[in-house]
Protein backbone atom coordinates (compact mmCIF):
# COMPACT_ATOMS: atom_id res chain seq x y z
CA UNK A 1 0.00 0.00 0.00
CA UNK A 2 1.38 3.37 -0.99
CA UNK A 3 1.67 6.30 1.37
CA UNK A 4 -1.00 8.23 -0.55
CA UNK A 5 -3.41 5.30 -0.25
CA UNK A 6 -2.78 4.85 3.47
CA UNK A 7 -3.33 8.54 4.29
CA UNK A 8 -7.16 8.50 3.92
CA UNK A 9 -7.37 5.30 5.97
CA UNK A 10 -5.19 6.85 8.69
CA UNK A 11 -7.31 10.03 8.68
CA UNK A 12 -10.49 7.96 8.93
CA UNK A 13 -9.10 6.00 11.88
CA UNK A 14 -8.12 9.22 13.66
CA UNK A 15 -11.59 10.66 13.04
CA UNK A 16 -13.19 7.49 14.43
CA UNK A 17 -11.05 7.60 17.57
CA UNK A 18 -11.89 11.28 18.03
CA UNK A 19 -15.61 10.51 17.82
CA UNK A 20 -15.23 7.67 20.33
CA UNK A 21 -13.39 9.95 22.75
CA UNK A 22 -15.92 12.78 22.34
CA UNK A 23 -18.87 10.51 23.14
CA UNK A 24 -17.11 8.91 26.09
CA UNK A 25 -16.53 12.45 27.40
CA UNK A 26 -20.18 13.32 26.68
CA UNK A 27 -21.41 10.39 28.77
CA UNK A 28 -19.10 11.49 31.59
CA UNK A 29 -20.26 15.12 31.29
CA UNK A 30 -23.90 14.06 31.54
CA UNK A 31 -23.06 12.75 35.01
CA UNK A 32 -22.06 16.20 36.26
CA UNK A 33 -25.60 17.27 37.26
CA UNK A 34 -25.50 14.42 39.79
CA UNK A 35 -28.28 11.99 40.68
CA UNK A 36 -31.79 12.16 42.04
CA UNK A 37 -32.79 9.27 44.28
CA UNK A 38 -36.46 8.41 44.51
CA UNK A 39 -38.30 5.36 45.77
CA UNK A 40 -36.91 2.74 48.09
CA UNK A 41 -34.78 0.72 45.67
CA UNK A 42 -31.87 3.17 45.72
CA UNK A 43 -31.80 3.41 41.91
CA UNK A 44 -30.78 6.98 40.95
CA UNK A 45 -32.10 9.09 38.09
CA UNK A 46 -29.16 9.93 35.82
CA UNK A 47 -28.69 11.67 32.48
CA UNK A 48 -25.91 9.27 31.48
CA UNK A 49 -28.32 6.80 29.90
CA UNK A 50 -29.07 9.59 27.40
CA UNK A 51 -25.39 9.60 26.47
CA UNK A 52 -25.47 5.83 25.94
CA UNK A 53 -28.49 6.18 23.64
CA UNK A 54 -26.80 8.97 21.68
CA UNK A 55 -23.62 6.93 21.28
CA UNK A 56 -25.51 4.00 19.78
CA UNK A 57 -27.88 6.08 17.66
CA UNK A 58 -25.20 8.40 16.24
CA UNK A 59 -22.02 6.31 16.14
CA UNK A 60 -23.50 2.85 15.58
CA UNK A 61 -22.52 -0.57 16.93
CA UNK A 62 -18.74 -0.32 16.54
CA UNK A 63 -17.82 3.24 17.49
CA UNK A 64 -20.73 3.61 19.91
CA UNK A 65 -19.71 0.47 21.75
CA UNK A 66 -16.09 1.61 21.90
CA UNK A 67 -17.20 4.94 23.39
CA UNK A 68 -19.19 3.21 26.13
CA UNK A 69 -16.40 0.69 26.77
CA UNK A 70 -13.89 3.56 27.11
CA UNK A 71 -16.20 5.34 29.56
CA UNK A 72 -16.76 2.17 31.60
CA UNK A 73 -13.06 1.28 31.68
CA UNK A 74 -12.17 4.76 32.93
CA UNK A 75 -14.90 4.51 35.57
CA UNK A 76 -13.75 1.07 36.72
CA UNK A 77 -10.16 2.36 36.80
CA UNK A 78 -11.29 4.71 39.55
CA UNK A 79 -12.24 7.98 37.85
CA UNK A 80 -15.31 9.51 39.56
CA UNK A 81 -17.18 10.02 36.26
CA UNK A 82 -20.44 8.31 37.15
CA UNK A 83 -23.35 10.42 38.36
CA UNK A 84 -22.91 11.59 41.91
CA UNK A 85 -19.12 11.44 41.66
CA UNK A 86 -19.04 7.66 41.89
CA UNK A 87 -16.56 5.43 40.12
CA UNK A 88 -17.13 2.10 38.45
CA UNK A 89 -15.95 0.00 41.38
CA UNK A 90 -18.43 1.75 43.67
CA UNK A 91 -21.20 1.17 41.14
CA UNK A 92 -20.33 -2.51 40.69
CA UNK A 93 -20.37 -3.11 44.44
CA UNK A 94 -23.80 -1.51 44.89
CA UNK A 95 -27.27 -3.04 44.45
CA UNK A 96 -27.66 -0.94 41.29
CA UNK A 97 -24.66 -2.56 39.56
CA UNK A 98 -26.90 -4.06 36.87
CA UNK A 99 -27.84 -0.64 35.54
CA UNK A 100 -24.18 0.28 35.06
CA UNK A 101 -23.39 -3.07 33.42
CA UNK A 102 -26.45 -2.58 31.22
CA UNK A 103 -24.82 0.38 29.45
CA UNK A 104 -22.81 -2.03 27.29
CA UNK A 105 -25.56 -4.31 25.92
CA UNK A 106 -27.78 -1.23 25.57
CA UNK A 107 -25.41 0.59 23.21
CA UNK A 108 -24.80 -2.61 21.22
CA UNK A 109 -28.53 -3.18 20.71
CA UNK A 110 -29.17 0.45 19.76
CA UNK A 111 -26.18 0.55 17.42
CA UNK A 112 -27.02 -2.70 15.63
CA UNK A 113 -30.71 -1.88 15.22
CA UNK A 114 -29.90 1.64 14.00
CA UNK A 115 -27.49 0.25 11.40
CA UNK A 116 -30.23 -2.15 10.29
CA UNK A 117 -32.74 0.71 10.07
CA UNK A 118 -30.41 2.82 7.95
CA UNK A 119 -30.15 -0.09 5.52
CA UNK A 120 -33.88 -0.06 4.76
CA UNK A 121 -34.90 1.69 1.53
CA UNK A 122 -32.95 2.94 -1.49
CA UNK A 123 -30.76 5.31 0.51
CA UNK A 124 -29.65 5.50 4.17
CA UNK A 125 -32.07 7.58 6.24
CA UNK A 126 -32.68 7.89 9.96
CA UNK A 127 -36.38 7.47 10.72
CA UNK A 128 -37.31 9.25 13.95
CA UNK A 129 -40.21 6.95 14.91
CA UNK A 130 -38.09 3.85 14.36
CA UNK A 131 -35.29 5.57 16.25
CA UNK A 132 -37.59 6.17 19.22
CA UNK A 133 -38.57 2.49 19.26
CA UNK A 134 -34.95 1.37 18.97
CA UNK A 135 -33.81 3.68 21.78
CA UNK A 136 -36.66 2.42 23.96
CA UNK A 137 -35.62 -1.20 23.41
CA UNK A 138 -31.93 -0.60 24.10
CA UNK A 139 -31.99 2.41 26.42
CA UNK A 140 -34.91 1.28 28.55
CA UNK A 141 -35.81 -2.40 28.19
CA UNK A 142 -32.22 -3.69 28.10
CA UNK A 143 -30.97 -1.47 30.92
CA UNK A 144 -34.06 -2.17 33.04
CA UNK A 145 -33.60 -5.91 32.51
CA UNK A 146 -29.96 -5.75 33.61
CA UNK A 147 -30.90 -3.54 36.54
CA UNK A 148 -33.67 -5.87 37.70
CA UNK A 149 -31.33 -8.85 37.57
CA UNK A 150 -28.80 -6.92 39.66
CA UNK A 151 -31.41 -5.87 42.22
CA UNK A 152 -32.71 -9.43 42.61
CA UNK A 153 -29.18 -10.77 43.08
CA UNK A 154 -27.94 -8.01 45.41
CA UNK A 155 -31.06 -7.29 47.49
CA UNK A 156 -33.98 -9.11 49.05
CA UNK A 157 -36.42 -7.66 46.51
CA UNK A 158 -38.68 -10.05 44.67
CA UNK A 159 -38.59 -10.04 40.88
CA UNK A 160 -41.87 -8.14 40.72
CA UNK A 161 -40.72 -5.59 43.30
CA UNK A 162 -37.50 -5.07 41.33
CA UNK A 163 -39.47 -4.58 38.11
CA UNK A 164 -41.92 -2.11 39.63
CA UNK A 165 -39.05 -0.12 41.17
CA UNK A 166 -38.39 1.18 37.65
CA UNK A 167 -41.82 2.82 37.51
CA UNK A 168 -40.74 6.29 38.69
CA UNK A 169 -38.10 6.47 35.94
CA UNK A 170 -40.28 5.64 32.95
CA UNK A 171 -41.47 9.16 32.11
CA UNK A 172 -37.96 10.62 32.31
CA UNK A 173 -36.51 7.78 30.27
CA UNK A 174 -39.19 8.17 27.60
CA UNK A 175 -38.22 11.82 27.29
CA UNK A 176 -34.56 10.79 26.91
CA UNK A 177 -35.52 8.23 24.26
CA UNK A 178 -37.33 10.88 22.20
CA UNK A 179 -34.59 13.48 22.65
CA UNK A 180 -31.91 10.99 21.56
CA UNK A 181 -33.88 10.09 18.42
CA UNK A 182 -34.49 13.73 17.49
CA UNK A 183 -30.84 14.64 18.01
CA UNK A 184 -29.65 11.58 16.07
CA UNK A 185 -31.95 12.45 13.15
CA UNK A 186 -30.50 15.95 12.94
CA UNK A 187 -26.92 14.70 13.18
CA UNK A 188 -27.41 12.05 10.49
CA UNK A 189 -29.07 14.61 8.25
CA UNK A 190 -26.12 16.95 8.58
CA UNK A 191 -23.39 14.29 8.74
CA UNK A 192 -24.49 11.26 6.68
CA UNK A 193 -22.19 8.27 6.78
CA UNK A 194 -21.44 8.21 10.51
CA UNK A 195 -23.00 4.73 10.61
CA UNK A 196 -22.48 2.30 7.76
CA UNK A 197 -25.85 0.72 6.93
CA UNK A 198 -25.98 -3.00 7.70
CA UNK A 199 -26.75 -3.98 4.10
CA UNK A 200 -23.64 -2.15 2.88
CA UNK A 201 -21.54 -3.89 5.52
CA UNK A 202 -22.84 -7.26 4.35
CA UNK A 203 -22.23 -6.38 0.70
CA UNK A 204 -18.69 -5.25 1.46
CA UNK A 205 -18.06 -8.36 3.58
Amino acid sequence: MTESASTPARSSAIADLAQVAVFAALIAALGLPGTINIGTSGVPITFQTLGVMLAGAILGPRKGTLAVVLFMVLAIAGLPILSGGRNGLTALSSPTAGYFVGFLPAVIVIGVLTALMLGVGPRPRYHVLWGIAINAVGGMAVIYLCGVIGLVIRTDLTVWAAITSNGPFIIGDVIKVVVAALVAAQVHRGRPGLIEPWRLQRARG
Side-chain angles (χ1 to χ4, degrees), residues 20-205:
V20 167
V22 166
F23 273 80
L26 172 64
I27 299 171
L30 287 171
L32 293 178
T35 60
I36 302 174
N37 291 289
I38 58 178
T40 59
S41 65
V43 181
I45 294 177
T46 170
F47 291 104
Q48 290 184 311
T49 49
L50 173 60
V52 174
M53 295 180 205
L54 288 171
I58 294 175
L59 296 185
R62 182 174 61 87
K63 293 182 292 183
T65 299
L66 287 175
V68 171
V69 167
L70 175 59
F71 168 78
M72 295 179 73
V73 167
L74 292 174
I76 293 171
L79 295 183
I81 54 178
L82 288 172
S83 293
R86 299 172 303 150
N87 60 44
L89 294 177
T90 301
L92 290 174
S93 63
S94 74
T96 61
Y99 294 93
F100 175 58
V101 173
F103 283 10
L104 186 55
V107 72
I108 293 172
V109 168
I110 293 171
V112 169
L113 293 180
T114 301
L116 285 169
M117 174 183 66
L118 291 173
V120 175
R123 62 174 184 169
R125 177 169 171 252
Y126 188 93
H127 301 268
V128 174
L129 292 180
W130 277 110
I132 290 173
I134 289 169
N135 293 340
V137 170
M140 292 180 65
V142 171
I143 291 179
Y144 285 4
L145 175 61
C146 294
V148 165
I149 292 172
L151 287 173
V152 171
I153 293 174
R154 293 288 184 85
T155 70
D156 57 359
L157 290 176
T158 64
V159 173
W160 180 245
I163 292 173
T164 56
S165 69
N166 291 294
F169 311 104
I170 291 177
I171 294 177
D173 285 338
V174 168
I175 293 173
K176 286 183 276 187
V177 160
V178 174
V179 168
L182 292 174
V183 171
Q186 291 297 319
V187 172
H188 285 298
R189 188 175 293 117
R191 286 283 306 275
L194 284 172
I195 300 177
E196 185 178 18
W198 200 263
R199 60 182 171 85
L200 296 181
Q201 294 181 36
R202 290 184 61 185
R204 182 165 50 84

